């Protein structure tokens, strides 16, 4: 039997269509790599195309290696001559041969991220840029974004006209490129940009590669940016034999510059293009695929397709709603322990890195080995270690490692040479590093740096004094450290996705501190650090390949597992509050594509979980179920509901009452999709204001004519203890009271429910 007879009809059509532009819309798990490799084999063995006339471009070296191996197995002779490479590797090979046309030597250097930052520091010095006003990383990010769109320094300058800040960045961009050329160096973005420039300005070079690569294939086309689109368009411009494979429903890298329009508008860019849809899925059960289809069809910016399978129907999608986020993590990890599958067949997926903390702790608690993908262990992350080093120094100045870590973090002008002098002084006098720093004036030849060191010591001593006097608890301490040390300001000034992630991780550390304080009779900084140290001790985990995988949804793309738990399915978390509040519907559509990616990672069983309450920035927030859950028909879901009641204002309330705001459906009954621009979630979102739930018509409350306490008064709460009233707002039906509790942190509540007593 021919190897092509093993393909399904649509796969075979994609393989046999070799001439002209071809768009292969490959749904999740539909065998796109199989199509690409068989297409290479068909071109060589059946169409007699010379292997060196075939180019296959992928996004990662791993994918290129896998494709190379599979082509070698399929093609008996000549496979090694097929050009299988990533975008960047391909461009390096081309530039090494021809970059002299652009005035560079062929032995150019490629600058990595650290090299770029070093160079940008030189640019700052040359242009006398104030590093407090501009951050190297942020400026580099803007330059990278410009290069993705093939915007030159000249164009950047024109677009910046009238905007002082952008005008300054345009000067930095120009100087940065000038310094690169002076150093005979390119950054990663330049590899694409300079190759496009080479092709556009030197037709003879372009013609050589057009003749060389008569058949071009591009994988993961939905992830290409404009510069990559332009590169491919130029290469394929002569023979038009361009085959791109991708899935617009899995375009989730907009923040990296990916432009979904490249795949959505392929037929416009390449007239006469043929479109083949691969919709048969070989990975998942039909219940999982039906859920994926139901969610993604709510996107307007997509090409119509529907996954189907000959696999068994399988189990329904499990949906579980928990009261608290820690209950969610506990239940998920217990389910993994008891599900009967190998740990390696289980994955926990979540929207943000910070969510990993609870799952890591529960895995350690139940002695379940895990692998964290797309990040390091929560307590090993730089920002967490930095803040913990501050806390250790405040708790115990004898920890030299902690002191050394933060003495110049964030930068406060205390250089390595000065620190070395203090170390010598400490060693000679048998002082701890902290004690030596406190005596900085006595350190020989340290000069004016002594004043900067003593400011650091004063800061630490002030933190200690406030904590000792009960001016704040651990949450207040961490937030004070963030603010007064300048750590938060430095991260925020970077203005990048990574900086935002780091702040989210620190907020999760605050959550940990608040949870610890709430669960301890006599909380202390020392005891908190001991608890963290025990949790962070991952060395006691067994070394095994049989591990549960914990990862963000962005990291999960391209992977698959028998059992998947997709956690944190709440509005404001997934989809993210940033996407909801941006005002751009495309942002929520990208979040929905991310959900689609998560659902289609599951082969046999998929569980979706959410929490009604989740701690964010040390405060308990109430959330409603994600719209993505609402978009899955009830008949597809296995949902267990238990009656849960609480007593508020002397009345028994059923938390699952459908009239409560968080239980109301996101769309009218029977409506399965939404019109363009229709804000069907507005009423449900409006039911919430901050940490306290806005209850519906299940009951009413009697608003007091006036309160017997005011702002600044000390009050007592039956659960949270004593605190100080920070703010009182007249909310119409009731007063909203914000209290900074001594041990529980800041809470906002309705006066009728809070029953606060003045003390």
């Amino acid at each position: 039997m021919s190897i092509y007879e093993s393909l399904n009809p649509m796969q075979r059509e994609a393989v046999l269509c070799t001439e002209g532009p071809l768009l292969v819309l490959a749904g999740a798990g539909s065998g796109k790599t199989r199509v690409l490799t068989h297409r290479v084999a068909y071109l060589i063995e059946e169409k007699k195309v010379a292997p060196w006339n075939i180019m296959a471009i992928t996004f990662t070296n791993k994918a290129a290696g896998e494709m190379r191996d599979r082509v070698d197995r399929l093609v008996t002779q000549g496979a090694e001559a097929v050009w299988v490479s990533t975008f960047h590797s391909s461009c390096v090979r081309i530039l090494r041969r021809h970059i002299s046309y652009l005035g560079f030597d062929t032995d150019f250097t490629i600058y990595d991220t650290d090299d770029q930052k070093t160079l940008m520091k030189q640019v700052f010095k040359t242009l006398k840029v104030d590093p407090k006003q501009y951050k190297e990383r942020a400026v580099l990010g803007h330059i990278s974004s410009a290069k993705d769109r093939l915007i030159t320094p000249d164009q950047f300058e024109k677009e910046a006209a009238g905007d002082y800040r952008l005008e300054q960045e345009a000067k930095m961009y120009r100087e940065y490129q000038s310094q690169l050329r002076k150093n005979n160096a390119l950054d990663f973005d330049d590899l694409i940009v300079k190759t496009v420039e080479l092709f556009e300005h030197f037709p003879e070079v372009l013609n050589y590669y057009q003749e060389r690569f008569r058949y071009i294939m591009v994988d993961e086309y939905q992830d290409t940016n404009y510069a990559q689109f332009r590169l491919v368009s130029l290469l394929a411009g002569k023979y038009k034999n361009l085959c791109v494979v991708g899935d617009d429903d899995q375009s989730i890298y907009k923040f990296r510059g990916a432009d979904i329009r490249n795949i959505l508008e392929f037929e416009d860019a390449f007239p006469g293009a043929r479109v083949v849809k691969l919709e048969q899925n070989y990975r998942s059960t039909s219940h999982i695929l039906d859920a994926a289809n139901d969610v993604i069809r709510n996107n307007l910016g997509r090409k119509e397709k529907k996954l189907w399978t000959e696999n068994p129907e399988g189990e329904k999608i499990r949906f579980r709603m928990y009261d608290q986020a820690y209950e969610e993590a506990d239940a998920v990890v217990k389910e993994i322990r008891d599900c009967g599958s190998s740990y390696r067949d289980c994955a926990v997926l979540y929207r943000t890195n910070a969510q990993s903390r609870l799952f890591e702790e529960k895995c350690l608690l139940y002695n379940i080995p895990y692998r964290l993908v797309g990040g390091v262990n929560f307590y090993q992350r730089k920002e967490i270690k930095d803040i913990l080093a501050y806390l250790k120094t405040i708790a115990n100045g004898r920890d030299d490692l902690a002191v050394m870590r933060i003495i110049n973090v964030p930068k406060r002008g205390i250089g390595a040479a000065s620190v070395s002098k203090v170390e010598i002084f400490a060693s000679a006098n048998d002082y701890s590093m902290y004690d030596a720093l406190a005596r900085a004036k006595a350190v020989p030849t340290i000069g004016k740096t002594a004043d900067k060191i003593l400011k650091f010591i004063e800061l630490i001593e002030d933190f200690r004094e406030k904590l000792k006097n009960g001016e704040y608890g651990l949450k207040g301490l961490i937030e004070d450290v963030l603010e007064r040390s300048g750590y938060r300001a430095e991260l925020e000034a970077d203005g990048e996705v990574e900086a935002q992630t780091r702040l989210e991780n620190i907020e999760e550390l605050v959550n940990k501190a608040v949870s610890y304080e709430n669960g301890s009779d006599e909380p202390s900084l020392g005891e908190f650090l001991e608890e963290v140290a025990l949790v962070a001790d991952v060395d006691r985990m067994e070394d095994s390949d049989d591990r549960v995988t914990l990862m963000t949804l962005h990291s999960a793309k391209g992977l698959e597992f028998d059992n998947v738990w997709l956690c944190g399915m709440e509005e404001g978390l997934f989809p993210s509050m940033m996407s909801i509040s941006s005002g751009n519907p495309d942002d929520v559509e990208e979040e929905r594509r991310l959900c689609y990616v998560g659902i289609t990672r599951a082969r046999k069983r998929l569980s979706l979980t959410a929490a009604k309450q989740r701690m964010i920035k040390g405060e308990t927030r109430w959330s409603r179920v994600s719209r993505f859950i609402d978009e899955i028909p009830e008949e597809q879901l296995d949902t267990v509901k238990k009656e849960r009641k609480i007593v508020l204002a002397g009345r028994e309330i059923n938390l699952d009452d459908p009239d409560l705001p968080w239980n109301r459906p996101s769309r009218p009954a029977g409506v399965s999709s939404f019109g363009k621009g229709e804000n069907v979630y507005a009423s449900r979102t409006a039911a919430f204001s901050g940490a306290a739930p806005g209850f519906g018509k299940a009951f009413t409350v009697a608003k007091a004519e006036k309160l017997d306490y005011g702002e600044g008064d000390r009050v007592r709460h039956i659960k949270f203890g004593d605190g100080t009233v920070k703010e009182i707002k007249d909310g119409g039906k009731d007063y909203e009271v914000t209290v900074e509790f001594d041990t529980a942190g800041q809470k906002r509540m309705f006066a009728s429910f809070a029953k606060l007593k003045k003390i």
Side-chain angles (χ1 to χ4, degrees):
M1 182 179 76
S2 165
I3 60 171
Y4 310 109
E5 292 178 18
S6 64
L7 303 170
N8 70 40
M10 301 311 292
Q11 290 175 333
R12 193 177 306 119
E13 181 180 347
V15 166
L16 302 186
C17 178
T18 60
E19 309 304 309
L22 170 67
L23 169 61
V24 180
L25 289 172
S30 62
K32 67 181 179 64
T33 306
R34 182 179 174 83
V35 166
L36 283 168
T37 52
H38 279 69
R39 198 168 187 274
V40 172
Y42 184 77
L43 284 168
I44 295 172
E45 295 186 337
E46 304 298 328
K47 300 291 288 186
K48 305 305 178 186
V49 174
W52 51 86
N53 288 148
I54 302 172
M55 180 186 211
I57 303 177
T58 66
F59 265 82
T60 66
N61 289 317
K62 180 183 177 183
E66 290 174 355
M67 186 178 293
R68 164 68 65 196
D69 291 341
R70 291 173 72 166
V71 169
D72 288 345
R73 289 197 297 271
L74 282 175
V75 180
T76 55
Q77 195 170 4
E80 68 281 354
V82 177
W83 187 310
V84 182
S85 180
T86 64
F87 272 103
H88 290 96
S89 295
S90 296
C91 289
V92 168
R93 289 174 68 178
I94 293 169
L95 293 173
R96 287 290 181 206
R97 187 170 179 180
H98 302 286
I99 199 171
S100 57
Y101 283 81
L102 301 177
F104 288 77
D105 293 336
T106 54
D107 61 348
F108 61 85
T109 302
I110 301 172
Y111 276 6
D112 62 16
T113 304
D114 289 338
D115 296 328
Q116 290 178 266
K117 287 175 68 176
T118 301
L119 184 61
M120 187 53 72
K121 287 179 182 177
Q122 294 178 12
V123 170
F124 277 24
K125 287 181 181 178
T126 301
L127 299 179
K128 296 181 172 55
V129 174
D130 183 356
K132 293 180 180 178
Q133 298 294 320
Y134 298 89
K135 295 296 179 181
E136 294 103 346
R137 285 171 42 149
V139 175
L140 285 168
H142 297 158
I143 291 173
S144 177
S145 178
K147 290 182 179 182
D148 284 347
R149 292 174 287 135
L150 295 178
I151 293 176
T152 64
D154 286 342
Q155 291 171 287
F156 196 105
E157 194 170 54
K158 288 178 183 177
E159 292 181 9
D163 186 320
Y164 176 78
R165 190 171 185 86
L166 286 178
E167 286 176 344
Q168 298 309 303
E169 289 193 0
K171 293 177 183 177
M172 296 178 220
Y173 183 10
R174 186 179 299 282
E175 180 62 23
Y176 174 74
Q177 290 304 112
S178 175
Q179 297 261 13
L180 281 171
R181 179 177 284 272
K182 176 185 172 185
N183 295 342
N184 195 45
L186 304 179
D187 62 22
F188 279 102
D189 295 312
D190 279 333
L191 297 176
I192 310 291
V193 172
K194 292 300 179 185
T195 306
V196 170
E197 186 180 333
L198 180 69
F199 288 166
E200 287 181 335
H201 291 89
F202 299 95
E204 65 274 25
V205 178
L206 174 60
N207 184 68
Y208 171 82
Y209 284 101
Q210 287 177 334
E211 289 293 335
R212 169 74 190 271
F213 302 126
R214 299 190 179 199
Y215 293 86
I216 301 169
M217 285 172 276
V218 183
D219 193 13
E220 301 289 3
Y221 190 67
Q222 77 280 349
D223 294 334
T224 55
N225 58 36
Y226 177 73
Q228 291 161 336
F229 160 79
R230 182 65 181 149
L231 176 70
V232 169
S233 300
L234 287 165
L235 279 172
K238 187 170 186 177
Y239 290 101
K240 315 291 186 187
N241 297 326
L242 172 65
C243 169
V244 302
V245 181
D247 183 4
D248 52 302
D249 289 334
Q250 295 187 72
S251 179
I252 59 173
Y253 295 127
K254 181 181 178 182
F255 66 96
R256 292 183 189 169
D259 190 342
I260 193 174
R261 292 175 299 179
N262 289 349
I263 193 167
L264 293 180
E265 299 172 6
F266 182 81
E267 297 100 312
D268 296 331
F270 301 94
R274 191 167 171 180
V275 179
V276 176
K277 297 180 183 180
L278 304 183
E279 297 171 293
Q280 183 175 358
N281 176 284
Y282 293 91
R283 175 188 300 159
S284 307
T285 65
S286 61
H287 269 309
I288 291 171
L289 296 182
D290 287 344
N293 288 327
D294 286 324
V295 170
I296 201 62
R297 67 190 173 92
N298 289 281
N299 270 6
L300 297 175
R302 66 184 294 261
K303 290 182 176 290
E304 182 59 37
K305 55 187 170 299
K306 184 176 181 179
L307 294 179
W308 62 276
T309 187
E310 293 179 348
N311 291 339
E313 183 178 64
E315 300 177 12
K316 284 187 175 183
I317 312 303
R318 296 178 77 254
F319 172 61
R320 298 291 183 268
M321 181 72 154
Y322 299 95
D323 288 335
Q324 306 279 353
Y326 68 84
E327 291 178 6
E328 174 193 42
D330 191 75
V332 167
V333 173
K334 282 180 179 177
E335 285 177 13
I336 291 171
R337 180 191 63 187
D338 301 332
C339 73
S341 296
S342 298
Y343 290 138
R344 67 169 61 89
D345 294 327
C346 301
V348 179
L349 310 181
Y350 36 78
R351 178 64 182 84
T352 67
N353 271 306
Q355 288 171 260
S356 75
R357 196 263 299 177
L358 287 173
F359 293 105
E360 290 182 70
E361 292 187 2
K362 294 301 180 182
C363 284
L364 288 168
L365 177 65
Y366 295 116
N367 200 29
I368 292 176
Y370 69 90
R371 176 186 296 105
L372 192 66
V373 177
V376 294
N377 172 278
F378 181 81
Y379 292 102
Q380 296 301 313
R381 291 168 184 162
K382 179 186 181 301
E383 60 275 13
I384 300 303
K385 294 185 79 170
D386 286 345
I387 299 304
L388 288 176
Y390 268 100
L391 299 184
K392 289 175 184 176
T393 302
I394 293 165
N396 173 16
R398 292 188 299 276
D399 188 337
D400 285 357
L401 288 178
V403 174
M404 293 284 284
R405 183 179 183 93
I406 61 170
I407 184 62
N408 200 38
V409 175
K411 291 181 176 61
R412 46 178 65 93
I414 304 172
S418 297
V419 173
S420 179
K421 291 175 184 178
V422 176
E423 281 188 281
I424 294 169
F425 176 73
S427 178
N429 293 279
D430 197 25
Y431 291 145
S432 71
M433 190 65 185
Y434 186 83
D435 288 340
L437 290 168
R439 296 169 172 82
K441 292 283 189 183
V443 177
T445 70
I446 199 165
K448 294 182 179 179
T449 305
D451 293 330
K452 297 175 182 176
I453 291 174
L454 291 177
K455 280 187 179 180
F456 168 74
I457 295 295
E458 288 172 13
L459 185 65
I460 297 297
E461 290 299 323
D462 194 47
F463 291 144
R464 284 179 178 171
E465 193 67 21
K466 285 187 174 181
L467 187 65
K468 180 182 177 182
N469 293 339
E471 293 184 41
Y472 47 43
L474 295 183
K475 175 193 173 187
L477 172 61
I478 295 172
E479 291 179 342
D480 204 20
V481 168
L482 278 174
E483 295 300 330
R484 294 175 59 203
S485 71
Y487 200 95
R488 181 193 296 277
E490 185 170 80
L491 284 182
E492 288 178 340
D494 281 348
E496 291 189 346
V497 173
E498 185 179 348
Q500 181 61 34
T501 299
R502 288 184 174 181
L503 285 170
E504 288 173 357
N505 289 335
I506 294 171
E507 288 166 5
E508 186 60 27
L509 182 65
V510 172
N511 295 343
K512 171 67 178 177
V514 172
S515 296
Y516 156 74
E517 286 185 304
N518 289 343
S520 176
D521 293 332
E522 296 182 12
S524 71
L525 176 56
E527 188 180 64
F528 171 69
L529 290 170
E530 286 176 15
E531 183 172 309
V532 166
L534 291 173
V535 172
D537 183 16
V538 296
D539 292 335
R540 61 192 174 92
M541 287 179 53
E542 60 181 285
D543 186 17
S544 165
D545 287 329
D546 189 22
R547 296 170 180 264
V548 175
T549 300
L550 309 180
M551 67 170 74
T552 63
L553 285 153
H554 281 101
S555 299
K557 188 167 174 289
L559 303 177
E560 56 186 70
F561 303 88
D562 282 354
N563 312 288
V564 169
W565 283 262
L566 185 46
C567 305
M569 301 295 294
E570 302 136 34
E571 285 289 300
L573 182 57
F574 192 35
S576 69
M577 186 56 68
M578 188 179 296
S579 69
I580 295 171
S581 59
S582 72
N584 184 351
D586 291 345
D587 292 341
V588 171
E589 293 212 348
E590 175 134 344
E591 293 281 297
R592 187 175 282 109
R593 292 194 293 271
L594 194 56
C595 181
Y596 173 84
V597 166
I599 291 172
T600 54
R601 297 313 93 196
R603 285 192 288 249
K604 296 178 180 178
R605 284 179 291 276
L606 173 65
S607 296
L608 308 173
T609 66
K612 287 191 174 181
Q613 296 179 55
R614 188 175 296 274
M615 197 173 287
I616 300 173
K617 298 182 182 178
E619 297 180 2
T620 299
R621 301 281 178 88
W622 292 70
S623 301
R624 62 179 180 81
V625 177
S626 168
R627 65 189 71 190
F628 303 147
I629 296 291
D630 295 332
E631 290 166 0
I632 302 174
E634 286 189 14
E635 58 268 21
Q636 290 287 347
L637 296 174
D638 165 17
T639 306
V640 173
K641 291 186 178 180
K642 61 178 181 178
E643 191 176 78
R644 293 162 300 131
K645 296 181 178 180
I646 59 173
V647 177
L648 286 174
R651 177 165 181 171
E652 186 176 75
I653 304 299
N654 180 0
L655 289 174
D656 294 310
D657 187 328
D659 281 329
L660 293 178
W662 57 83
N663 292 325
R664 293 175 191 154
S666 293
R667 60 176 184 249
V671 177
S672 58
S673 59
F674 309 105
K676 190 171 184 179
E678 187 180 1
N679 188 3
V680 298
Y681 301 102
S683 61
R684 204 168 173 204
T685 303
F688 287 81
S689 58
F695 291 96
K697 60 185 180 183
F699 65 92
T700 58
V701 296
K703 177 184 175 184
E705 288 188 14
K706 81 171 190 178
L707 302 175
D708 60 0
Y709 51 84
E711 293 180 0
D713 286 343
R714 295 284 289 171
V715 293
R716 179 166 295 154
H717 186 274
I718 191 170
K719 177 181 177 183
F720 302 127
D722 297 347
T724 303
V725 178
K726 294 295 185 183
E727 184 181 33
I728 299 175
K729 286 184 179 179
D730 189 341
K733 294 183 178 180
D734 201 357
Y735 293 102
E736 294 180 18
V737 184
T738 301
V739 181
E740 183 70 42
F741 289 102
D742 298 343
T743 57
Q746 187 169 286
K747 306 287 182 184
R748 186 168 62 168
M749 56 197 77
F750 289 116
S752 300
F753 298 152
K755 305 293 184 186
L756 297 170
K757 300 293 184 184
K758 184 176 178 180
I759 56 175

